[in-house]
Amino acid sequence: MARYHHPMTITYRSYLRLPELLDVQSPLSGVHDELLFITIHQASELWMKLCLHELGEARRRIAADDVAPALKMMARVSRIQAQLIQSWEVLATMTPADYAAMRGKLGSSSGFQSDQYRSLEFVMGNRNPAMVDVFDESDVRARLSDELARPSLYDEALRLLARRGLPIPADRLERDFAQSVPPSRDVEACWATVYGHPNDHWDLYALAEKLVDLEYHVQLWRFGHLKTVERVIGFKTGTGGTAGVPYLARVVEQRFFPELLNVRTSL
């Protein structure tokens, strides 16, 4: 049931539900730095929630040929990503000894289990159905499976190009959207047309640059994660059983919009 408050009774604390919000940081170890660790990760999840809110609506606007509001939303996400990137600077103040003192209380929990992060990857177009199996909760699995079944933000961008008369291959417009696909030279050629004649395709040109901004900031976030983990735990195995730094290094190599990066070579 929705909460109702008469406007005159709403306070800063009640509107933001601060008592509940500030009561969910629950350190288990008694180690001073555990509150830092919890706060950084909880704040990151809140920022990711907002990213999903913005990108979901941006995707809907692009599908409706309403590009201008989508550009604003995507620009906002890039600013949010800058906050996420900066958070690694704060977490990196934790020393190896600080982390070792609390690590045993984390059990098998790991950022690898963040369903919101996985949703962000799926929304942007990095599709891997096997990642759904990481999660035990049926509602999370259902939500991620639903996301896999629909076109990604990039898929909708390509559909927009096709509606504007650019020759996007048919196999990129109707396909199994749960699967990632290799880069297409034909798609790259369409983006080359946009970049070669920006005045004729101004909103598509702006959309391309907003997509590149998103990828740029995701890669900076991933690299910050890699270097923070390297600094704090070295090359130990991650708490969730991943290979730690080597795994994160492979993740950094993954690309969301390869044609938009490849086209820069030919311009």
Side-chain angles (χ1 to χ4, degrees):
M1 181 179 295
R3 296 180 302 127
Y4 173 76
H5 294 285
H6 188 280
M8 295 303 293
T9 68
I10 295 176
T11 67
Y12 179 82
R13 284 172 56 81
S14 67
Y15 178 71
L16 296 178
R17 300 182 66 179
L18 290 185
E20 298 99 317
L21 178 65
L22 299 178
D23 192 45
V24 295
Q25 294 75 45
S26 304
L28 301 177
S29 67
V31 173
H32 175 81
D33 279 22
E34 190 177 357
L35 182 60
L36 163 68
F37 188 84
I38 292 172
T39 301
I40 290 293
H41 287 87
Q42 287 186 343
S44 295
E45 290 290 336
L46 287 172
W47 283 126
M48 284 191 279
K49 180 177 182 178
L50 184 54
C51 286
L52 288 167
H53 175 71
E54 298 291 342
L55 292 180
E57 180 64 11
R59 174 171 56 184
R60 190 185 73 78
R61 295 296 185 109
I62 292 168
D65 290 320
D66 191 13
V67 179
L71 299 179
K72 178 182 177 182
M73 294 163 191
M74 294 165 70
R76 177 177 291 162
V77 171
S78 292
R79 296 293 184 92
I80 296 167
Q81 289 173 309
Q83 297 294 318
L84 287 165
I85 293 162
Q86 180 61 30
S87 70
W88 295 125
E89 295 287 329
V90 183
L91 188 59
T93 63
M94 176 179 283
T95 68
D98 296 329
Y99 182 66
M102 55 158 279
R103 189 183 190 195
K105 295 296 184 179
L106 298 180
S108 60
S109 65
S110 166
F112 188 74
Q113 300 159 348
S114 170
D115 57 285
Q116 288 202 123
Y117 173 73
R118 198 60 59 194
S119 289
L120 274 173
E121 289 214 320
F122 287 178
V123 168
M124 290 177 63
N126 186 17
R127 302 294 178 92
N128 183 352
M131 291 296 99
V132 176
D133 296 332
V134 170
F135 303 94
D136 296 328
E137 302 89 341
S138 59
D139 59 326
V140 173
R141 291 170 62 91
R143 187 167 65 251
L144 290 174
S145 295
D146 287 345
E147 178 54 51
L148 281 175
R150 64 186 300 184
S152 70
L153 180 70
Y154 190 55
D155 289 321
E156 290 295 1
L158 297 184
R159 288 177 157 196
L160 176 62
L161 265 63
R163 291 195 297 274
R164 296 293 181 84
L166 292 163
I168 298 293
D171 64 359
R172 296 304 166 104
L173 302 175
E174 297 297 336
R175 61 182 184 82
D176 179 2
F177 292 109
Q179 303 296 327
S180 290
V181 291
S184 164
R185 296 297 295 270
D186 292 333
V187 170
E188 183 182 332
C190 291
W191 286 121
T193 298
V194 171
Y195 274 96
H197 306 279
N199 290 332
D200 296 332
H201 308 282
W202 188 257
D203 59 345
L204 301 181
Y205 178 67
L207 176 60
E209 285 299 285
K210 289 295 183 288
L211 288 167
V212 172
D213 281 346
L214 290 176
E215 171 137 354
Y216 174 75
H217 285 93
V218 168
Q219 295 294 45
L220 288 180
W221 184 90
R222 286 170 163 177
F223 186 73
H225 189 190
L226 164 66
K227 301 310 288 187
T228 300
V229 170
E230 184 180 73
R231 175 173 177 163
V232 175
I233 71 168
F235 288 83
K236 294 186 182 75
T237 300
T239 50
T242 68
V245 167
Y247 167 76
L248 294 173
R250 292 194 299 273
V251 170
V252 169
E253 296 175 357
Q254 296 173 354
R255 297 191 297 172
F256 290 94
F257 318 125
E259 292 94 353
L260 281 171
L261 297 180
N262 292 345
V263 74
R264 282 154 161 73
T265 305
S266 59
L267 292 175

